[in-house]
């Protein structure tokens, strides 16, 4: 299936690592132009950009902490200056930072800043260009939005709010034919996930095996490529009548009967 992304411009936040890296590669493989917006210059190698360009498309990286509103504006301005259009935004950057009920108001606010505000800020600044292109927005949320996890109030609140915004923007943007959807990962091995396993548990290997056992489909984690394929489809006009949806790409982890595992 040709997703018809060739020549179109997609911003992927956190697009050089983990799920974001998978998404950038999937868009580039379909001929889309990828703008990787991420925090630190060291996170994007020239090799990575060259690999994205290998199929004959273009790719570009913009650096800055998206917690700063100015940096979100910079991402949009730089993209438009370079390519003159924006066809889609993938809000993906986020961190499960473990700001729980015991952590206090300051940690809670920091966590919301880390995980939520930039989802809004980027779309706000990109809106005129998305209206022109009849673009598509994909918000990467989490199963935690619906299940909770314990000890991570800020992250859970942000992930839940991302689902609220997905529905809200899908409604608000109907007149412009801009589609808005969310994907909900559950268990995907990424640098963030590895860090969590290694820091939160005495025996990370045992914990990993326990988690994998509970994933109904094939008792394995979802790959970043499987996440990315769903995102690329939602960005593309092959999903042209899909909006306001929450897509769980998780091997049945969230919805299938526990007794199956
Ligand atoms: P990851 O491996 O840590 O990659 C996230 C990327 O986002 C990193 O490059 C990170 O940069 C960047 N980033 C984070 N905060 C940023 C900020 N304020 N400004 C600019 N860049 C920022 O994480 P991941 O596991 O792929 O997660 C991606 C998304 O999926 C997140 O929204 C996460 O909540 C969600 N998710 C993941 C899982 C899972 O199983 N992995 C499950 C549920 C939901 P640095 O390298 O500088 O930190």
């Amino acid at each position: 299936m040709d997703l018809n992304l060739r020549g179109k411009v997609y911003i992927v936040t956190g697009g050089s690592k983990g799920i974001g890296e998978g998404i950038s590669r999937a868009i580039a493989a379909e001929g889309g132009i990828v703008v990787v917006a991420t925090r630190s210059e060291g996170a994007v190698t020239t090799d990575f950009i060259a690999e994205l360009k290998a199929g004959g498309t273009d790719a570009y990286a913009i650096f800055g902490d998206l917690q700063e509103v100015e940096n979100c504006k910079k991402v949009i301005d730089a993209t438009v200056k370079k390519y003159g259009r924006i066809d889609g935004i993938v809000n993906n950057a986020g961190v499960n930072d473990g700001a729980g009920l015991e952590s206090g108001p300051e940690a809670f606010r920091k966590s919301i800043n880390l995980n939520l505000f930039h989802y809004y800020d980027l779309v706000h600044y990109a809106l005129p260009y998305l209206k022109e292109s009849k673009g598509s927005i994909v918000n990467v949320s989490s199963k935690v939005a619906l299940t909770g996890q314990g000890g991570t109030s800020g992250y859970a609140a942000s992930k839940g709010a991302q689902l609220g915004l997905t529905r809200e923007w899908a409604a608000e943007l109907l007149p412009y034919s801009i589609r808005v959807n969310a994907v909900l990962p559950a268990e995907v091995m990424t640098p963030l996930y590895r860090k969590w396993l290694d820091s939160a548990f005495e025996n990370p290997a045992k914990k990993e095996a326990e988690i994998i056992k509970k994933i109904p489909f094939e008792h394995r984690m979802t790959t970043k490529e499987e996440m990315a394929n769903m995102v690329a489809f939602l960005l593309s006009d092959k999903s042209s009548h899909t909006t306001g949806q929450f897509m769980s790409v998780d091997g049945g982890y969230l919805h299938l009967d526990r007794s199956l595992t």
Side-chain angles (χ1 to χ4, degrees), residues 123-193:
V123 171
H124 166 74
Y125 289 117
L127 200 51
Y129 310 102
L130 293 170
K131 284 179 181 175
E132 263 173 43
S133 65
K134 297 186 176 173
S136 173
I137 299 164
V138 178
N139 292 323
V140 179
S141 174
S142 169
K143 76 158 183 2
V144 171
L146 301 177
T147 62
Q149 181 180 294
T152 195
S153 298
Y155 182 75
S158 301
K159 291 294 162 190
Q162 290 162 11
L163 297 184
L165 290 176
T166 299
R167 285 268 153 83
E168 165 63 12
W169 296 344
E172 182 168 334
L173 300 176
L174 287 171
Y176 308 103
S177 297
I178 297 172
R179 295 178 302 102
V180 189
N181 293 287
V183 294
L184 286 74
E187 314 292 345
V188 187
M189 187 52 73
T190 64
L192 174 71
Y193 197 104

Coordinates of all heavy atoms in Angstrom, one line a residue, residues 123-193:
V123 N 0.7 22.3 18.2 CA -0.5 22.3 17.3 C -1.0 23.7 17.2 O -1.4 24.1 16.1 CB -1.6 21.3 17.9 CG1 -2.9 21.5 17.1 CG2 -1.1 19.9 17.7
H124 N -1.0 24.5 18.3 CA -1.4 25.9 18.2 C -0.6 26.6 17.1 O -1.2 27.3 16.3 CB -1.2 26.6 19.6 CG -1.4 28.0 19.5 ND1 -2.6 28.7 19.3 CD2 -0.4 29.0 19.5 CE1 -2.4 30.0 19.2 NE2 -1.1 30.2 19.3
Y125 N 0.7 26.5 17.2 CA 1.5 27.3 16.2 C 1.4 26.7 14.8 O 1.6 27.5 13.8 CB 3.0 27.4 16.7 CG 3.1 28.3 17.9 CD1 3.5 27.8 19.2 CD2 2.8 29.6 17.9 CE1 3.7 28.6 20.3 CE2 2.9 30.5 19.0 CZ 3.3 29.9 20.2 OH 3.4 30.7 21.3
A126 N 1.1 25.5 14.7 CA 1.1 24.8 13.4 C -0.3 25.0 12.7 O -0.4 24.7 11.5 CB 1.4 23.4 13.5
L127 N -1.3 25.5 13.4 CA -2.6 25.4 13.0 C -2.9 26.1 11.6 O -3.5 25.4 10.7 CB -3.6 26.0 14.0 CG -5.0 25.7 13.9 CD1 -5.2 24.2 13.8 CD2 -5.8 26.2 15.1
P128 N -2.3 27.3 11.3 CA -2.6 27.9 10.0 C -2.1 27.0 8.8 O -2.7 26.9 7.8 CB -1.8 29.2 10.0 CG -1.5 29.4 11.4 CD -1.5 28.1 12.2
Y129 N -1.0 26.3 9.1 CA -0.4 25.4 8.0 C -1.1 24.1 7.9 O -1.3 23.6 6.8 CB 1.1 25.2 8.3 CG 1.8 26.5 8.6 CD1 2.1 26.9 9.9 CD2 2.0 27.4 7.6 CE1 2.6 28.2 10.2 CE2 2.6 28.7 7.9 CZ 2.9 29.0 9.2 OH 3.4 30.3 9.4
L130 N -1.6 23.6 9.0 CA -2.4 22.3 9.0 C -3.8 22.6 8.3 O -4.3 21.7 7.6 CB -2.7 21.8 10.4 CG -1.4 21.3 11.1 CD1 -1.7 21.0 12.6 CD2 -0.9 20.0 10.5
K131 N -4.3 23.8 8.5 CA -5.5 24.2 7.8 C -5.3 24.2 6.3 O -6.1 23.7 5.5 CB -6.0 25.5 8.2 CG -6.7 25.5 9.6 CD -7.2 26.9 10.0 CE -7.8 26.9 11.4 NZ -8.1 28.3 11.9
E132 N -4.2 24.7 5.9 CA -3.8 24.8 4.4 C -3.7 23.4 3.8 O -4.2 23.1 2.7 CB -2.5 25.5 4.2 CG -2.7 27.0 3.9 CD -1.3 27.7 3.8 OE1 -0.4 27.1 3.3 OE2 -1.3 28.8 4.4
S133 N -3.0 22.5 4.6 CA -2.7 21.2 4.0 C -3.8 20.1 4.3 O -3.7 19.0 3.8 CB -1.4 20.7 4.6 OG -1.5 20.5 6.0
K134 N -4.8 20.5 5.1 CA -5.8 19.5 5.6 C -5.0 18.4 6.3 O -5.2 17.2 6.0 CB -6.7 19.0 4.5 CG -7.6 20.1 3.9 CD -8.6 19.5 3.0 CE -9.5 20.7 2.5 NZ -10.4 20.3 1.4
G135 N -4.2 18.8 7.2 CA -3.2 17.9 7.8 C -3.8 16.9 8.8 O -5.0 16.8 9.0
S136 N -2.9 16.1 9.4 CA -3.3 15.1 10.3 C -2.4 15.2 11.6 O -1.2 15.5 11.5 CB -3.1 13.7 9.6 OG -3.3 12.7 10.6
I137 N -3.1 15.0 12.7 CA -2.3 15.0 14.0 C -2.4 13.7 14.7 O -3.5 13.1 14.7 CB -3.0 16.1 14.9 CG1 -2.9 17.5 14.3 CG2 -2.3 16.1 16.3 CD1 -3.8 18.5 14.9
V138 N -1.3 13.2 15.2 CA -1.3 12.0 16.0 C -0.7 12.3 17.3 O 0.4 12.7 17.4 CB -0.6 10.8 15.3 CG1 -0.6 9.6 16.2 CG2 -1.2 10.5 13.9
N139 N -1.4 12.0 18.4 CA -0.9 12.2 19.8 C -0.5 10.8 20.3 O -1.4 9.9 20.4 CB -2.0 12.8 20.7 CG -2.3 14.2 20.3 OD1 -1.4 15.0 19.9 ND2 -3.6 14.6 20.4
V140 N 0.7 10.7 20.7 CA 1.1 9.4 21.4 C 0.8 9.5 22.9 O 1.4 10.3 23.6 CB 2.6 9.1 21.1 CG1 3.0 7.8 21.8 CG2 2.9 9.1 19.6
S141 N -0.2 8.8 23.3 CA -0.6 8.8 24.7 C 0.0 7.5 25.4 O 1.1 7.2 25.1 CB -2.1 8.8 24.8 OG -2.6 8.7 26.1
S142 N -0.8 6.8 26.2 CA -0.3 5.6 26.9 C -1.5 4.9 27.4 O -2.5 5.5 27.8 CB 0.6 6.0 28.0 OG 0.9 4.9 28.8
K143 N -1.3 3.6 27.6 CA -2.3 2.8 28.3 C -2.5 3.3 29.7 O -3.6 3.2 30.3 CB -1.9 1.3 28.4 CG -0.8 1.0 29.4 CD -0.8 -0.5 29.8 CE 0.1 -0.9 30.9 NZ 1.0 -0.1 31.6
V144 N -1.5 4.0 30.3 CA -1.6 4.5 31.7 C -2.7 5.5 31.8 O -3.3 5.7 32.8 CB -0.2 5.2 32.1 CG1 -0.4 5.9 33.4 CG2 0.8 4.1 32.2
A145 N -3.1 6.2 30.7 CA -4.2 7.1 30.7 C -5.5 6.4 31.1 O -6.4 7.1 31.7 CB -4.4 7.7 29.3
L146 N -5.6 5.1 30.8 CA -6.9 4.4 31.1 C -6.7 3.4 32.2 O -7.7 3.0 32.8 CB -7.3 3.7 29.8 CG -7.6 4.6 28.6 CD1 -7.9 3.8 27.3 CD2 -8.7 5.6 28.9
T147 N -5.5 3.0 32.5 CA -5.4 1.9 33.5 C -4.8 2.5 34.8 O -4.9 1.9 35.9 CB -4.4 0.8 33.1 OG1 -3.1 1.4 32.9 CG2 -4.9 0.2 31.8
G148 N -4.1 3.7 34.8 CA -3.3 4.1 35.9 C -2.1 3.2 36.0 O -2.0 2.1 35.3
Q149 N -1.1 3.6 36.8 CA 0.1 2.8 37.1 C 0.4 2.7 38.5 O 0.9 1.7 39.0 CB 1.2 3.3 36.2 CG 2.5 2.5 36.4 CD 3.6 3.1 35.5 OE1 3.6 3.1 34.3 NE2 4.7 3.6 36.2
G150 N 0.2 3.9 39.2 CA 0.6 4.0 40.6 C 1.9 4.7 40.7 O 2.8 4.4 39.9
G151 N 1.9 5.8 41.4 CA 3.2 6.6 41.6 C 3.5 7.5 40.5 O 4.7 7.9 40.4
T152 N 2.6 7.8 39.6 CA 3.0 8.6 38.5 C 1.8 9.6 38.1 O 1.3 9.6 36.9 CB 3.5 7.8 37.3 OG1 4.2 8.6 36.4 CG2 2.5 6.9 36.6
S153 N 1.4 10.4 39.0 CA 0.2 11.2 38.9 C 0.3 12.2 37.7 O -0.6 12.4 36.9 CB -0.1 12.1 40.1 OG -0.3 11.3 41.2
G154 N 1.5 12.8 37.6 CA 1.7 13.8 36.5 C 1.6 13.2 35.1 O 1.0 13.7 34.2
Y155 N 2.3 12.1 35.0 CA 2.3 11.4 33.7 C 0.9 10.9 33.3 O 0.4 11.1 32.2 CB 3.3 10.2 33.8 CG 3.5 9.4 32.5 CD1 4.2 9.9 31.4 CD2 3.0 8.1 32.4 CE1 4.4 9.1 30.3 CE2 3.2 7.3 31.3 CZ 3.9 7.9 30.2 OH 4.1 7.1 29.1
A156 N 0.2 10.3 34.3 CA -1.1 9.7 34.1 C -2.1 10.9 33.7 O -2.9 10.7 32.8 CB -1.6 9.0 35.3
A157 N -2.0 12.0 34.4 CA -2.9 13.1 34.1 C -2.6 13.6 32.7 O -3.5 14.0 31.9 CB -2.7 14.2 35.1
S158 N -1.3 13.7 32.3 CA -0.9 14.2 31.0 C -1.4 13.3 29.9 O -2.0 13.7 28.9 CB 0.6 14.4 30.9 OG 1.1 15.2 31.9
K159 N -1.2 12.0 30.1 CA -1.6 11.0 29.1 C -3.2 11.0 28.9 O -3.7 10.9 27.8 CB -1.1 9.6 29.5 CG 0.4 9.5 29.4 CD 0.9 9.7 27.9 CE 2.3 10.0 27.8 NZ 2.7 10.4 26.4
G160 N -3.9 11.2 30.1 CA -5.3 11.2 30.0 C -5.8 12.5 29.3 O -6.7 12.5 28.4
A161 N -5.1 13.6 29.6 CA -5.4 14.9 28.9 C -5.2 14.8 27.4 O -5.9 15.4 26.6 CB -4.6 16.0 29.6
Q162 N -4.1 14.1 27.0 CA -3.9 14.0 25.6 C -5.0 13.3 24.9 O -5.4 13.6 23.7 CB -2.6 13.2 25.4 CG -1.3 13.9 25.8 CD -0.1 13.0 26.0 OE1 -0.1 11.8 25.6 NE2 0.9 13.6 26.6
L163 N -5.7 12.3 25.5 CA -6.9 11.7 24.9 C -8.0 12.7 24.9 O -8.7 12.8 23.9 CB -7.3 10.4 25.7 CG -6.2 9.3 25.7 CD1 -6.8 8.1 26.5 CD2 -5.8 8.9 24.4
G164 N -8.2 13.5 25.9 CA -9.2 14.5 25.9 C -9.0 15.5 24.8 O -9.9 15.9 24.1
L165 N -7.7 15.9 24.6 CA -7.4 16.9 23.5 C -7.6 16.2 22.1 O -8.0 16.9 21.2 CB -6.0 17.4 23.7 CG -5.7 18.3 24.9 CD1 -4.2 18.6 25.0 CD2 -6.6 19.6 24.8
T166 N -7.4 15.0 22.0 CA -7.6 14.3 20.8 C -9.0 14.4 20.3 O -9.3 14.8 19.2 CB -7.2 12.8 20.9 OG1 -5.8 12.7 21.2 CG2 -7.4 12.0 19.6
R167 N -10.0 14.1 21.2 CA -11.4 14.2 20.9 C -11.8 15.7 20.7 O -12.5 16.0 19.8 CB -12.2 13.7 22.1 CG -12.3 12.2 22.1 CD -13.5 11.6 21.3 NE -13.1 10.2 20.9 CZ -13.3 9.1 21.6 NH1 -13.7 9.2 22.9 NH2 -12.9 7.9 21.1
E168 N -11.3 16.6 21.6 CA -11.6 18.0 21.5 C -11.1 18.6 20.1 O -11.8 19.3 19.4 CB -11.0 18.8 22.6 CG -10.9 20.3 22.6 CD -12.3 20.9 22.5 OE1 -13.3 20.3 22.7 OE2 -12.3 22.1 22.2
W169 N -9.9 18.3 19.7 CA -9.3 18.9 18.5 C -10.0 18.2 17.3 O -10.3 18.9 16.3 CB -7.8 18.6 18.4 CG -7.0 19.4 19.5 CD1 -7.5 20.4 20.2 CD2 -5.7 19.1 19.8 NE1 -6.5 20.8 21.1 CE2 -5.4 20.0 20.9 CE3 -4.7 18.2 19.4 CZ2 -4.1 20.1 21.5 CZ3 -3.5 18.2 20.0 CH2 -3.2 19.2 21.0
A170 N -10.3 16.9 17.4 CA -11.0 16.3 16.3 C -12.4 17.0 16.0 O -12.7 17.2 14.9 CB -11.3 14.8 16.6
A171 N -13.0 17.4 17.1 CA -14.3 18.1 17.0 C -14.1 19.5 16.4 O -14.7 20.0 15.5 CB -15.0 18.2 18.4
E172 N -13.1 20.2 17.0 CA -12.9 21.6 16.6 C -12.4 21.8 15.2 O -12.7 22.7 14.5 CB -11.8 22.3 17.6 CG -11.6 23.7 17.3 CD -10.8 24.4 18.4 OE1 -10.9 24.0 19.6 OE2 -10.1 25.4 18.1
L173 N -11.7 20.7 14.7 CA -11.0 20.9 13.4 C -11.8 20.2 12.3 O -11.3 20.2 11.2 CB -9.6 20.3 13.5 CG -8.7 21.1 14.5 CD1 -7.3 20.5 14.7 CD2 -8.6 22.6 14.2
L174 N -13.0 19.7 12.6 CA -13.9 19.1 11.6 C -14.0 20.1 10.4 O -13.9 19.6 9.2 CB -15.2 18.8 12.1 CG -15.3 17.6 13.1 CD1 -16.7 17.5 13.7 CD2 -15.0 16.3 12.3
P175 N -14.3 21.4 10.6 CA -14.5 22.2 9.4 C -13.3 22.4 8.5 O -13.5 22.8 7.4 CB -14.8 23.6 10.1 CG -15.2 23.3 11.5 CD -14.4 22.1 11.9
Y176 N -12.2 22.0 9.0 CA -10.9 22.1 8.2 C -10.4 20.8 7.6 O -9.4 20.7 7.0 CB -9.8 22.8 9.0 CG -10.3 24.0 9.7 CD1 -10.6 24.0 11.0 CD2 -10.4 25.2 8.9 CE1 -11.1 25.2 11.6 CE2 -10.9 26.4 9.5 CZ -11.3 26.3 10.9 OH -11.7 27.5 11.5
S177 N -11.2 19.7 7.8 CA -10.8 18.4 7.4 C -9.4 18.0 7.9 O -8.6 17.3 7.3 CB -10.8 18.3 5.8 OG -12.1 18.5 5.3
I178 N -9.2 18.5 9.1 CA -7.9 18.0 9.8 C -8.3 16.9 10.8 O -9.2 17.0 11.6 CB -7.3 19.2 10.7 CG1 -6.9 20.3 9.7 CG2 -6.1 18.7 11.5 CD1 -6.4 21.6 10.5
R179 N -7.7 15.7 10.6 CA -8.0 14.6 11.4 C -7.0 14.5 12.6 O -5.9 14.9 12.5 CB -7.9 13.3 10.6 CG -9.0 13.2 9.5 CD -8.8 12.0 8.6 NE -7.5 11.9 8.0 CZ -6.6 11.1 8.4 NH1 -6.8 10.2 9.5 NH2 -5.4 11.0 7.8
V180 N -7.6 14.0 13.8 CA -6.8 14.0 15.0 C -7.1 12.6 15.7 O -8.2 12.3 15.9 CB -7.2 15.1 16.0 CG1 -6.2 15.1 17.1 CG2 -7.3 16.4 15.3
N181 N -6.0 11.9 15.9 CA -6.1 10.5 16.5 C -5.0 10.3 17.5 O -4.0 11.1 17.5 CB -6.1 9.4 15.4 CG -7.2 9.5 14.5 OD1 -8.4 9.1 14.9 ND2 -7.0 10.0 13.3
A182 N -5.2 9.3 18.4 CA -4.2 9.0 19.4 C -3.8 7.5 19.3 O -4.7 6.7 18.9 CB -4.8 9.3 20.8
V183 N -2.6 7.3 19.6 CA -2.2 5.9 19.7 C -1.8 5.6 21.2 O -1.2 6.5 21.8 CB -1.0 5.5 18.8 CG1 -1.4 5.5 17.3 CG2 0.2 6.3 19.0
L184 N -2.1 4.4 21.6 CA -1.8 4.1 23.0 C -0.8 2.9 23.1 O -1.3 1.8 22.9 CB -3.1 3.7 23.8 CG -4.0 4.9 24.2 CD1 -4.7 5.4 23.0 CD2 -5.0 4.4 25.3
P185 N 0.5 3.2 23.3 CA 1.4 2.0 23.5 C 1.1 1.5 24.9 O 0.6 2.2 25.8 CB 2.8 2.7 23.4 CG 2.6 4.1 23.1 CD 1.2 4.5 23.3
A186 N 1.5 0.2 25.1 CA 1.5 -0.3 26.4 C 3.0 -0.7 26.8 O 3.5 -0.1 27.7 CB 0.6 -1.5 26.5
E187 N 3.5 -1.7 26.1 CA 4.9 -2.2 26.5 C 5.8 -2.2 25.2 O 5.6 -3.1 24.4 CB 4.8 -3.6 27.1 CG 3.7 -3.8 28.1 CD 4.0 -3.0 29.4 OE1 5.1 -2.5 29.7 OE2 3.0 -2.9 30.2
V188 N 6.6 -1.2 25.0 CA 7.5 -1.1 23.9 C 8.9 -0.9 24.4 O 9.1 0.1 25.2 CB 7.1 0.0 23.0 CG1 7.9 0.0 21.7 CG2 5.6 0.1 22.6
M189 N 9.8 -1.8 24.1 CA 11.2 -1.6 24.6 C 11.9 -0.4 23.9 O 12.1 -0.5 22.7 CB 12.0 -2.9 24.4 CG 13.4 -2.9 25.1 SD 13.3 -2.4 26.8 CE 12.6 -3.9 27.6
T190 N 12.2 0.6 24.7 CA 12.8 1.8 24.2 C 13.8 2.3 25.2 O 13.8 1.7 26.3 CB 11.7 2.9 24.0 OG1 11.2 3.3 25.3 CG2 10.6 2.5 23.1
P191 N 14.6 3.3 24.9 CA 15.6 3.7 26.0 C 14.9 4.2 27.2 O 15.3 3.9 28.3 CB 16.2 4.9 25.3 CG 16.2 4.6 23.8 CD 14.9 3.9 23.6
L192 N 13.7 4.8 27.1 CA 12.9 5.2 28.3 C 12.4 4.0 29.1 O 12.6 4.0 30.3 CB 11.7 6.0 27.8 CG 10.7 6.5 28.9 CD1 11.3 7.5 29.8 CD2 9.4 7.0 28.3
Y193 N 11.9 3.0 28.4 CA 11.4 1.8 29.1 C 12.6 1.1 29.8 O 12.4 0.6 30.9 CB 10.7 0.9 28.0 CG 9.8 -0.1 28.6 CD1 8.5 0.0 28.6 CD2 10.3 -1.3 29.2 CE1 7.6 -0.9 29.1 CE2 9.5 -2.2 29.8 CZ 8.1 -2.0 29.7 OH 7.3 -3.0 30.3

